[in-house]
Amino acid sequence: MTSHGLVYDGCNFFRQRLVLSTLSGKRVRIRGIRSSDDCPGLRDFEASFIRLLDKVTNGSKIEINQTGTVLFYQPGLLYGGSVEHDCNTQRSIGYYLEALLLLAPFMKSPLKATLRGVTNDPVDPTVDLLKSTSLPLMKRFGIEGEAFVVKVVKRGMAPGGGGEVFFSCPACRSLKPVQLTDPGKIKRIRGVAYSVRVSPQMGNRIVESARSVLNQFLPDIYIHTDHMKGVNSGKSPGFGLTLVAETVNGFFLSAEMSSTPQGQGDSILPEDLGRNCAMLLLEEVYRGGCVDSSNQSLALLLMTLGQQDVSKVLLGPLSPYTIEFLRHIRDFFQIMFKIDVQKPLEDERKGGDKVLMTCVGVGYSNVNKTLK
């Protein structure tokens, strides 16, 4: 450990490091960012992410060397308030929103953020997915209120963007410990098939092909079609599907697919997209657990920041991103999780191996929030 706080190499897990640095108040230096590339240094979307962090904090100190290969970040206080940000269109708004979800509960004043850019692309979790799975998960940790919303004002597909999303979150004093160990069986599936700047029929074709797979397992399926036109449809054509399976105990597992951005790679038929997305959802159900793979790191961070009490969450197999996140949590908060692998019995039909994650929270409280 140097006086510079934590030191990392390379551009992987860039958001994780900056978000955890902001929450823990520890300085971080990231070296060798794509230093051997033809075009070294930070990409535009990463620079845009740093600007967003600068907008929601007060007094952050950010130094970047001339080539952009070394970044030094000293976090300020999380301030919140009203923020507008034009996200870089190389990544979707989900890339920025995921990080804001981790930071928003600990702001000094409630966050009201308007983000503009790409709402749905094949790379990052879409806004629809975060809205239908991350918010219910955060509510279990005691983050709630009428002001806790994510709203898609305009849709914008990659590569052109032109979408707009409004996110607001109340400031929260402290998180409560959770025991999420029994996911229960799937009781219903909900979804959104969206289409912009293509025939509205596309949505119906996606819904029919997804239902042809899912109806074999479950009768209660409702997929809503969302066709935006005119000014609300962004700049590029595209379509996609977000599916969410809800269990009897109120947990959400999700899967999604978006069409290939215009001018990149092979295009996909709406029928194939619907079918493949349904298969992805079934795979997510097989992996199981109380939290789906796209929200594992969110659940683990909220457990870490909870009160000094035991929290338990049952997850499906850990994704590589989550594994790296656990290492970072150990670096920034000195918290280690107890990991129990649970193998289901053969006749139980409980899907893949599950992992029971247990930890004692650090008792993180929102220092900024003034007591009324």
Side-chain angles (χ1 to χ4, degrees):
M1 293 285 263
T2 60
S3 60
H4 295 308
L6 294 160
V7 180
Y8 289 107
D9 281 307
C11 62
N12 281 351
F13 311 106
F14 182 76
R15 282 181 311 166
Q16 286 189 12
R17 289 164 183 168
L18 293 186
V19 165
L20 290 170
S21 158
T22 309
L23 287 168
S24 63
K26 290 186 177 165
R27 294 179 293 190
V28 64
R29 178 182 290 274
I30 301 175
R31 303 178 305 204
I33 300 174
R34 302 191 181 87
S35 45
S36 53
D37 267 30
D38 296 344
C39 164
L42 291 168
R43 295 285 177 263
D44 292 347
F45 67 88
E46 288 162 337
S48 174
F49 179 69
I50 295 171
R51 282 197 292 277
L52 177 62
L53 273 184
D54 194 37
K55 284 179 186 174
V56 297
T57 57
N58 192 354
S60 292
K61 187 172 163 203
I62 300 159
E63 292 169 11
I64 299 171
N65 71 345
Q66 215 161 0
T67 52
T69 51
V70 179
L71 166 78
F72 171 71
Y73 176 69
Q74 181 175 343
L77 288 172
L78 281 165
Y79 190 73
S82 292
V83 175
E84 292 200 6
H85 188 66
D86 291 327
C87 304
N88 186 285
T89 52
Q90 290 172 344
R91 299 294 287 263
S92 82
I93 291 177
Y95 174 84
Y96 303 88
L97 189 57
E98 266 191 306
L100 279 186
L101 284 171
L102 300 173
L103 296 170
F106 309 105
M107 303 277 180
K108 180 172 183 183
S109 46
L111 179 69
K112 293 183 177 57
T114 304
L115 304 174
R116 296 188 189 88
V118 174
T119 52
N120 306 75
D121 76 350
V123 187
D124 295 298
T126 62
V127 178
D128 305 275
L129 182 91
L130 295 173
K131 176 181 173 177
S132 51
T133 59
S134 305
L135 298 197
L137 175 65
M138 291 170 75
K139 284 177 181 164
R140 288 186 174 266
F141 287 87
I143 304 165
E144 55 201 343
E146 284 172 18
F148 192 31
V149 288
V150 170
K151 191 165 156 224
V152 182
V153 185
K154 298 177 185 171
R155 273 196 196 283
M157 302 292 288
E164 185 178 307
V165 172
F166 175 72
F167 167 58
S168 79
C169 176
C172 157
R173 177 75 207 187
S174 60
L175 301 175
K176 47 187 201 205
V178 294
Q179 303 282 327
L180 311 179
T181 51
D182 179 20
K185 290 194 163 68
I186 304 290
K187 66 173 177 181
R188 60 173 166 221
I189 293 174
R190 295 288 178 263
V192 177
Y194 51 86
S195 52
V196 292
R197 298 193 172 267
V198 291
S199 150
Q201 204 49 43
M202 291 289 195
N204 304 341
R205 286 164 64 183
I206 295 172
V207 172
E208 273 176 34
S209 63
R211 290 190 72 113
S212 69
V213 175
L214 299 172
N215 271 346
Q216 299 170 35
F217 303 96
L218 204 67
D220 186 357
I221 297 173
Y222 181 73
I223 304 173
H224 157 78
T225 53
D226 180 15
H227 181 70
M228 289 210 172
K229 46 184 189 279
V231 286
N232 291 346
S233 63
K235 298 173 184 169
S236 299
F239 51 86
L241 174 64
T242 300
L243 290 173
V244 179
E246 186 184 342
T247 71
V248 287
N249 294 344
F251 295 107
F252 297 89
L253 305 171
S254 61
E256 63 179 359
M257 278 190 86
S258 294
S259 57
T260 325
Q262 192 181 15
Q264 300 173 16
D266 301 332
S267 55
I268 183 170
L269 284 170
E271 283 79 5
D272 294 343
L273 183 132
R275 199 173 310 112
N276 294 349
C277 187
M279 292 298 190
L280 280 177
L281 182 69
L282 294 177
E283 193 175 313
E284 198 61 66
V285 170
Y286 177 81
R287 293 172 62 120
C290 295
V291 179
D292 62 3
S293 45
S294 60
N295 285 302
Q296 286 178 346
S297 47
L298 173 64
L300 295 174
L301 180 73
L302 294 174
M303 285 166 72
T304 305
L305 299 175
Q307 293 165 15
Q308 291 179 331
D309 199 349
V310 178
S311 282
K312 290 184 181 185
V313 172
L314 185 70
L315 301 177
L318 299 179
S319 65
Y321 184 83
T322 309
I323 292 167
E324 197 58 42
F325 195 73
L326 285 166
R327 292 185 185 132
H328 282 123
I329 284 179
R330 183 189 63 201
D331 292 350
F332 284 98
F333 288 103
Q334 284 78 52
I335 285 277
M336 305 275 267
F337 280 78
K338 177 166 168 247
I339 302 179
D340 293 323
V341 178
Q342 302 185 341
K343 292 198 180 296
L345 300 171
E346 299 218 339
D347 55 344
E348 266 195 301
R349 292 195 178 177
K350 284 277 177 74
D353 294 352
K354 305 288 183 285
V355 188
L356 184 65
M357 308 292 287
T358 313
C359 82
V360 175
V362 291
Y364 187 90
S365 71
N366 187 342
V367 284
N368 303 319
K369 189 137 173 64
T370 46
L371 282 173
K372 295 217 170 29

